[in-house]
Amino acid sequence: MAGCVPGRVPVEGAVLPLLPGGPRCAPTPSFSHSGCQFASCSKDCTVKIWNNDLTISLLHSADMRPYNWSYTQFSQFNQDDSLLLASGVFLGPHNSSSGEIAVISLDNFALLSRVRNKPYDVFGCWLTETSLISGNLHRIGDITSCSVLWLNNAFQDVESENVNVVKRLFKIQNLNASTIRTVMVADCGRFDSPDLLLDAGAPPGRIFDLGSDGEGDEEAAGPVLVRAKEGLRRPLDGLLDTRAQPQLAERALETKVAELLAQGRTKPPERSAAGAQSKLLIFTTGCLTYSPHQIGIKQILPHQMTTAGPVLGEGRGSDAFFDALDHVIDVHGHIIGMGLSPDNRYLYVNSRAWPSGSVVADPMQPPPIAEEIDLLVFDLKTMREVKRALRAHRAYTPNDECFFIFLDVSRDFVASGAEDRHGYIWDRHYNICLAKLRHQDVVNSVVFSPQEQELLLTASDDATIKAWRSPRTVRIHQAPRPRPRPFFSWFASQRR
């Protein structure tokens, strides 16, 4: 795919216009699994669905402004390409902004349902063909909170109030102003057919898994309130003694109290039965600061992949518990993008590194971040880093203005946007940068066609989406096709 050139199609097919204006919201295109269609989000608050042919044409445009949306930011097709998930920023009462997810039918482009999603950069994702994951956020203190991840039916018209359309999946404690963002799902059933070429002679990669192995968690999981109070009293007596620790900050005290309270109220991870086809819920999080610097991984078991169960409002006894994460990967930097390989086994992560040896003293003041973007690769089966970091693309915004840059992975390539006005393509097996794709402004996102990996879309703050093809596929599409010989000409030649 070296030396990619824009697809030789009419202007409206190669460069798709989007409306500029508004804050950066990382608008992103997404392909259907068949590759026949793709969707785009934009700051004009529309979700557009396009027909992907040599001449790209617009099939439908859904305006989300009547639903109090400010802009659309993310879309994803379900597995059989019958439904489209679209998420954006919703303007609520008193100008408070959270997110909302809409489900659109691809048969008649009808809006089927809307689901609240907070914070809006959870984005949302499909778990099954007809159920999707959304988020909610509950503040506990100034820098402590609780993220709840919900499983929602795409079709919410039910005839009985005893039929669930939503079910709580997980409830996770957040410390030091962090929150859960950017959820995605990996299918563990595809791990045994890896598609990445690894160097057999290379030493094993670094292990980043900080998660608990579950040993010794059984006692801590019990709702023994008396024991929890006794365990809290001794540490708090020391923490509140200002003569002993006059430098103790109020934020540090809040974090310590939250950690101690959670010790007796956190359920250990469930273990899957042998042969069970589970999935992994992946998201960005943190434990030191609001800047997302860790990847949280939580296993979703088969019995959790349905909204069937107690009717909402029943089984409230379990609401006192937090759910422990199965794995945590710390990248020691600000995570600005994630993407899965087609086999779902490898996680590619865009990260802007913190200085070596940096320490977070104040959760509201994270360390400065590098301009270089490191593209890291983790094996989700072994929880190891398996490739050296790719580095060519750059970003310039500081921590408090840093925004998400989407990346994508095909069988042989990996692509990413950047703030240097280019999209980038690498060979994912040999770590070679193959192409720089120019725009006039920040490139927010990229996406490969799942059926034609030498077709790439790039979306930019210059208000365009560009379609790029490799020179090889351009030659194939431009090659003259043999014209069929007329029947009478063939008949005459046979008589000679």
Side-chain angles (χ1 to χ4, degrees):
M1 198 164 177
C4 290
V5 297
R8 299 290 182 86
V9 292
V11 173
E12 65 271 16
V15 182
L16 311 179
L18 299 173
L19 293 184
R24 282 179 174 164
C25 58
T28 171
S30 64
F31 267 105
S32 63
H33 293 85
S34 68
C36 296
Q37 298 175 350
F38 65 89
S40 64
C41 297
S42 176
K43 299 170 188 176
D44 67 353
C45 206
T46 63
V47 180
K48 289 183 170 62
I49 301 169
W50 306 81
N51 182 47
N52 178 36
D53 207 339
L54 287 179
T55 301
I56 297 174
S57 58
L58 181 65
L59 292 177
H60 179 73
S61 179
D63 186 358
M64 301 305 294
R65 283 173 295 188
Y67 305 102
N68 275 359
W69 284 31
S70 176
Y71 54 84
T72 58
Q73 61 179 353
F74 176 80
S75 61
Q76 186 181 59
F77 289 79
N78 70 341
Q79 190 62 40
D80 66 2
D81 294 335
S82 62
L83 302 173
L84 179 71
L85 174 156
S87 69
V89 175
F90 173 84
L91 294 178
H94 310 293
N95 292 324
S96 62
S97 62
S98 63
E100 195 168 76
I101 297 172
V103 178
I104 299 172
S105 168
L106 294 175
D107 292 331
N108 54 12
F109 303 115
L111 180 63
L112 300 179
S113 58
R114 291 159 52 209
V115 175
R116 191 61 55 89
N117 188 41
K118 183 178 180 180
Y120 57 81
D121 50 4
V122 168
F123 295 126
C125 65
W126 292 104
L127 178 61
T128 69
E129 289 187 356
T130 58
S131 61
L132 58 110
I133 296 173
S134 65
N136 201 357
L137 183 67
H138 302 281
R139 294 290 177 186
I140 298 175
D142 290 337
I143 59 171
T144 56
S145 63
C146 171
S147 288
V148 182
L149 297 172
W150 295 91
L151 183 63
N152 309 268
N153 276 348
F155 304 95
Q156 302 208 352
D157 293 333
V158 295
E159 297 179 356
S160 171
E161 61 182 12
N162 295 322
V163 176
N164 285 352
V165 295
V166 63
K167 184 179 75 173
R168 195 187 80 190
L169 266 178
F170 305 117
K171 185 176 181 180
I172 299 168
Q173 184 189 48
N174 302 314
L175 301 174
N176 289 319
S178 67
T179 61
I180 285 177
R181 309 172 184 177
T182 320
V183 299
M184 59 178 60
V185 171
D187 186 353
C188 301
R190 300 162 66 182
F191 281 5
D192 292 331
S193 301
D195 61 9
L196 181 61
L197 179 63
L198 298 176
D199 184 359
R206 293 175 292 171
I207 301 176
F208 286 81
D209 186 11
L210 307 178
S212 169
D213 59 6
E215 294 181 2
D217 288 340
E218 290 79 3
E219 182 179 347
V224 186
L225 188 58
V226 174
R227 184 165 39 209
K229 287 182 177 178
E230 290 175 353
L232 276 172
R233 188 173 295 119
R234 287 189 296 272
L236 287 178
D237 287 344
L239 287 172
L240 296 175
D241 185 356
T242 56
R243 293 173 299 175
Q245 300 187 34
Q247 78 284 0
L248 185 64
E250 183 178 341
R251 289 171 180 165
L253 174 62
E254 180 182 327
T255 298
K256 188 63 177 178
V257 170
E259 288 177 332
L260 292 170
L261 283 171
Q263 285 181 3
R265 296 170 177 259
T266 302
K267 293 190 295 185
E270 289 187 52
R271 300 305 174 192
S272 59
Q277 294 297 313
S278 62
K279 296 184 178 181
L280 296 181
L281 180 65
I282 303 168
F283 47 84
T284 62
T285 182
C287 65
L288 302 176
T289 175
Y290 68 84
S291 171
H293 56 279
Q294 293 179 330
I295 300 166
I297 299 176
K298 185 70 179 168
Q299 189 176 41
I300 306 176
L301 302 178
H303 70 85
Q304 297 171 317
M305 299 183 195
T306 173
T307 57
V311 178
L312 194 63
E314 297 179 3
R316 288 290 189 178
S318 62
D319 284 1
F321 292 91
F322 296 116
D323 292 289
L325 301 184
D326 292 273
H327 307 280
V328 178
I329 299 173
D330 197 310
V331 302
H332 197 73
H334 192 130
I335 299 169
I336 60 170
M338 296 195 301
L340 286 167
S341 60
D343 63 0
N344 280 208
R345 177 164 171 172
Y346 300 100
L347 179 67
Y348 287 70
V349 179
N350 269 337
S351 171
R352 297 175 61 184
W354 291 340
S356 178
S358 60
V359 177
V360 180
D362 184 345
M364 305 311 293
Q365 295 182 357
I369 51 180
E371 288 188 354
E372 296 84 6
I373 303 174
D374 292 329
L375 186 49
L376 311 173
V377 188
F378 299 99
D379 186 337
L380 294 176
K381 187 172 183 177
T382 63
M383 296 299 162
R384 290 177 179 268
E385 185 179 15
V386 294
K387 285 278 190 179
R388 65 178 175 85
L390 302 174
R391 182 180 287 179
H393 48 329
R394 302 174 73 87
Y396 307 108
T397 49
N399 251 321
D400 56 348
E401 299 176 13
C402 197
F403 60 95
F404 209 75
I405 293 179
F406 288 85
L407 59 95
D408 197 27
V409 189
S410 70
R411 185 185 68 250
D412 298 313
F413 309 116
V414 56
S416 174
E419 291 185 42
D420 58 11
R421 303 182 180 184
H422 288 87
Y424 288 81
I425 302 174
W426 294 267
D427 184 300
R428 62 180 287 229
H429 306 291
Y430 298 102
N431 292 359
I432 301 170
C433 185
L434 300 176
K436 292 176 64 175
L437 312 176
R438 184 167 181 79
H439 274 265
Q440 299 303 310
D441 209 331
V442 171
V443 178
N444 287 312
S445 67
V446 297
V447 61
F448 289 104
S449 167
Q451 300 299 324
E452 185 184 356
Q453 68 168 349
E454 296 183 28
L455 169 61
L456 179 76
L457 302 179
T458 57
S460 169
D461 274 357
D462 64 11
T464 64
I465 294 177
K466 291 185 177 181
W468 306 81
R469 295 183 188 274
S470 69
R472 185 185 69 85
T473 56
V474 170
R475 289 193 296 270
I476 292 174
H477 287 297
Q478 290 181 339
R481 299 181 179 181
R483 300 175 64 179
R485 298 174 63 186
F487 174 77
F488 290 108
S489 173
W490 173 86
F491 183 76
S493 66
Q494 297 299 312
R495 295 188 59 186
R496 293 175 184 169

